[in-house]
Amino acid sequence: MNELVRQHTALDDSDLEWLHLLVSEWQLLSDLSFADLVLWVPTRDGTRYVSVAQMRPNTGPTSYQDDMVGHLVPRGRRPLLDAALDEGRIVREGDPEWREEVPVRVESIPVRRDGRVLGVIARNTNLLTVRTPSRLELTYLQSASDLAQMIAAGSFPFPDQQVDMDASPRVGDGLIRLDADGVVQYASPNALSAYHRLGLASDLVGQHLGQTTAELAPSRGPVDEALAKVASGWAPREFEIETSDGVIQLRAIPLKPKGTRIGSLVLLRDVTELRRRERELITKDATIREIHHRVKNNLQTVAALLRLQARRIESERGRAALEEAVRRVGSIAIVHETLSQNLDERVEFDEIADRVLAMVAEISPGKVTGRRTGRFGILDAEVATPLSMVLTEVLQNALEHGFREGDTGTVEVSAVRGGTTKDARLLVTVQDDGIGLPPGFDARTAGNLGLQIVRTLVEGELGGSFDMVPAPEGGCQVLLDIPVRAQK
């Protein structure tokens, strides 16, 4: 819509914002009208109209099989558009149009803002299935007529209320029509069922909705008076009512077709099961995060015990083995610490890689610095945990065997995400500028415990590939190719 309005019309950004607000609300008008809506805006030179938005009803058959957005029609071809634009009134004159053997009633509703008519809504009703309307349909149509008059007067939509239509109740979820005093004139079957879920034992018609709602809701002192007023439809507002038996989401829409409030529409939806599932998810998330937190604490305790034991061992080899174990446990603890702070089982691995790099660098025999390039991105926990251990082993191997006492150098960790959506890959390169690999070295047969761990984790658990080769400019290069789930 932005592109069409800016390309073809003279409307400014504030006018465009009003149209966006209207379009965010007009599913309501479409459903109440049982009609398609097309928004036409006059072009900059005033000789044509351009259709910038379209909405089909959820409550009836469509009048347009094709997408109308972007169509241009010359002024004069559709007299109802001209009359609504020029006279600033709703135009309903004329016989039904026939479109592909389907009779369609066409009406035009001017869209007004600050006294100016910005465009025209063409309301197109498919008359092929017209029958004697029920009480529900009559209430829908009367409410649609009131909203159309408010749009023509510039009093709808409400500029201070941005509605999320995906989360807000819709017409079919439940509808209540109130008079000016807040008394229920009509309640749809779904609306009545929702109030019965809250504990109402009688009919709603004839009752004051605000008082009835406040009586059903748990007592909250001074809040009850505000709740009664909001539920009576005095102001455009969304709110929820929760009892021990259910939860209902309500949206109040004051109706002022001629500038004076004549009543209100209240849309409502039973969200009891939705809120129950949300609470279950929150509880499960909290439990999972607490488990990760406790695992992290336990791993840190294990690492501390191993560190204490290492200090008491006189054998250099034994002490070194325990210190290696401390680092392995520490790398897993870092992943669980990160998971304990997230709402899902996915982690931003770049932070973990940096912490592992810093942890391993502490054992550097000389002035060896480490750095990371590229991004690992977000990884699932089942990938992050073994990968952190692999990274620890590879870095530790590079620092211990790639450099001699007093050497200076660099170890660089590079990560690149690649592949397709179905076959996403993570390519990791760990390269040092040290003394390089010994003659005849073969990573697939090397008996070093650290390399055995790397091979097992990369090939067995991660389903990837691992290799160690001489770096092009000297030193060693470790290559990891791991399948990962594509980032969203």
Side-chain angles (χ1 to χ4, degrees), residues 2-11 41-46 48-52 70-72:
N2 289 356
E3 182 179 348
L4 288 170
V5 169
R6 288 168 178 153
Q7 179 180 354
H8 295 284
T9 77
L11 301 183
V41 179
T43 57
R44 191 173 287 104
D45 58 9
R48 295 180 297 175
Y49 298 96
V50 58
S51 58
V52 298
H71 282 215
L72 290 162

Side-chain angles (χ1 to χ4, degrees), residues 404-431:
R404 290 182 290 264
E405 186 74 28
D407 284 352
T408 60
T410 303
V411 178
E412 180 176 313
V413 179
S414 173
V416 177
R417 297 291 285 255
T420 63
T421 302
K422 293 183 178 180
D423 183 28
R425 317 289 298 183
L426 173 62
L427 306 177
V428 181
T429 304
V430 180
Q431 181 171 320

Side-chain angles (χ1 to χ4, degrees), residues 432-449:
D432 65 68
D433 54 4
I435 61 177
L437 297 172
F441 178 84
D442 187 350
R444 291 171 294 181
T445 60
N448 180 290
L449 175 61

Side-chain angles (χ1 to χ4, degrees), residues 359-384:
M359 179 181 67
V360 176
E362 294 176 0
I363 67 168
S364 170
K367 298 181 179 179
V368 179
T369 59
R371 65 168 180 258
R372 174 180 59 85
T373 60
R375 291 193 67 248
F376 286 86
I378 298 174
L379 298 178
D380 294 331
E382 57 264 29
V383 175

Side-chain angles (χ1 to χ4, degrees), residues 26 35 45 149 180 182 221 258 284 296 351:
W26 70 344
D45 58 9
Q149 292 183 54
K258 296 182 179 179
K284 289 179 180 178
K296 183 262 296 185
E351 178 185 350

Side-chain angles (χ1 to χ4, degrees), residues 295-307 322-338 349 351-360 362 384-385 387-393 396:
V295 170
K296 183 262 296 185
N297 288 343
N298 290 338
L299 289 172
Q300 288 180 337
T301 301
V302 171
L305 292 173
L306 291 174
R307 194 176 293 111
L322 287 178
E323 288 175 350
E324 286 184 5
V326 168
R327 284 187 287 274
R328 287 166 184 152
V329 172
S331 66
I332 302 175
I334 290 173
V335 176
H336 283 282
E337 181 181 4
T338 305
F349 197 80
E351 178 185 350
I352 294 175
D354 291 340
R355 293 179 64 180
V356 168
L357 190 59
M359 179 181 67
V360 176
E362 294 176 0
T385 301
L387 182 57
S388 68
M389 285 197 66
V390 168
L391 198 57
T392 300
E393 296 297 333
Q396 185 169 296

Side-chain angles (χ1 to χ4, degrees), residues 230-243:
V230 170
S232 300
W234 286 93
R237 197 76 55 81
E238 285 196 30
F239 56 100
E240 284 190 3
I241 304 298
E242 181 173 359
T243 69

Side-chain angles (χ1 to χ4, degrees), residues 177-219:
R177 173 87 186 215
L178 308 178
D179 65 13
D181 297 322
V183 177
V184 178
Q185 294 179 310
Y186 175 80
S188 71
N190 284 347
L192 189 57
S193 296
Y195 265 82
H196 285 168
R197 182 75 178 264
L198 291 182
L200 180 69
S202 60
D203 194 1
L204 269 174
V205 176
Q207 297 197 40
H208 189 280
L209 185 66
Q211 295 175 1
T212 301
T213 303
E215 291 170 1
L216 292 172
S219 178

